[in-house]
Each structure stands twice: as structure tokens, then as C-alpha cells.
Amino acid sequence: MNSKFTSSYGSHRKFIAFFAILFILGAQAQAQVDEEKLDQFLNAVQIGETEGLLNLMHPKLAEQIDPPILEAWLQSVAYKLGSVEVVLPATSIIAGDREEFTSNVSFTKGTARVAITVLNDSIVAFEVQSDELANWFQRPTSLKIYRDRVERFMTALDNQEYDRCLSLMHSQIAEKLNAEILSEYLEKVEQVVGASRTRKFQFAKLTILPDERLEQIDLYYEIEGSLGSVTAEFAIRFQGMRGQLVGFRFR
């Protein structure tokens, strides 16, 4: 019995050892496959196309990023860091469907610590840390999406669609407003300008922080009617890779 037990126990140990080897090999293969997402991210950054990079992201992350800001960031990476030369082996943390990869990357003009978080095969967070990229954001590559947002706001205000107005603003600012306040603004405009109105974009003014980063863009419009005209000012404040409507006034 003892001999048989020993023999059986030894076979079990071999089985466990064999299973452990398979598991380790499988984990390594999985890590190699998963690290392809880091390579895809770096390739997209090097190519410099916003659409290709956004396609790698989870929709909820993509919603928090304005393409003109992402494009400005890609241009800054290309100008200040250059092309990817060496990607050191990534360290990884895997917890269920969530995977975090971090690697030190050498570019032609500098180095960076690159980290991405992947959930269900989509990037949900990314970071490229480098001294070369300090104060990279001077302005978005286009004002179109911000002008469109402001003009949708003015159209909604004209049509008394106050909920629509609030949805176009930063949530913390929208919480301080309501339909009654917005209707008062509309009434004041109508008193000065008249019921029939046209609007024309005038110019944009940039507010630059002491460290040269862009903080805010103010968009100015002239609203004209049969009774007169007013200047409408709209403030777009930037945080992260997103600009949001945080204020307006008519004068």
C-alpha cells in the first residue's frame, strides 16, 4: 500500500509540474499577445493619425478626447520626441480583463515612460511621460468643434430648448443654471437686438498660463437684429484633452 501510494503521489506531482509548465508558457504567450496592444499604440502614435489612435480606445475614453487636441499632442510627440527606436520589455499587471503595461521607450530625440491600460482589448487609459513633452499644449489644431458647439448652444437658446443648452455646457456649470435663468438671457438679447437675429463669428482670444500651456479660448460673436446688436462671448476651458463650454455673456 505504501509503495502504491508513493507511486501514485509521484505521478500526481509530475502532472502538477507539467500543468504548471503549461500554465506558465500559456501566461507568457498571453502576455506577448496582450503586449501587441502596446505596440499598436506606439505605432499609431508614430504614424500620427488621430483616427487610428482613437480606434484603439474604448468609446468612453474616446468621448473624453477632442480630436484637435489629440492631433496637437501627436504633433508635439513627433516634433519633440521623434520616431520610436527601442521599446524595452514591458512590465505588466493583469487582473481579470484589465491589463496594465508600462515600458521605457527610446525615441530619436529623447526617452519616455509609456503606460497603457487595456480592458477587453480596448485602451481605457494611456500616459506618455517625458521631460521633452512638458507644456506641450499651446492650442488645438482646429476651433471648428468648439465653434460648432457654441453655435448649437445659441440655436438652442433661440429655440428655447434650455435642456439642450445645458447639455452643451460643463456639467458643474450646468448645475448652476436652469431654464428660468436662460430665458432671462434670451429676453435681454431680444430686447436689445429684436426677434429676428443673425450672428457672425468675430475672433478667438487665447488665455495662456505662465508655463505657456493654453488654459482657455474665448469665442466672440456679433448678434445683429432689427433693433441693434450685441457681442456674445463664450469661454471654452481646457482640461486634459478636452475643451468644455464653461461660460457665456452678452454685452
Side-chain angles (χ1 to χ4, degrees), residues 93-99:
I93 301 175
I94 301 176
D97 294 332
R98 187 180 182 90
E99 303 158 293

Side-chain angles (χ1 to χ4, degrees), residues 48-55 57 59 61-76 126 136-137 139-146 149 238 240-243:
E49 294 181 357
T50 57
E51 184 177 356
L53 187 52
L54 288 170
N55 287 338
M57 299 180 192
L61 174 61
E63 287 175 1
Q64 300 300 313
I65 296 176
D66 293 342
I69 299 181
L70 182 62
E71 185 176 35
W73 179 76
L74 288 170
Q75 290 177 356
S76 183
F126 68 90
W136 62 268
F137 183 50
R139 65 190 64 193
T141 57
S142 170
L143 294 180
K144 185 178 185 305
I145 67 170
Y146 308 113
R149 187 176 306 163
F238 295 92
M241 285 194 176
R242 194 179 188 191

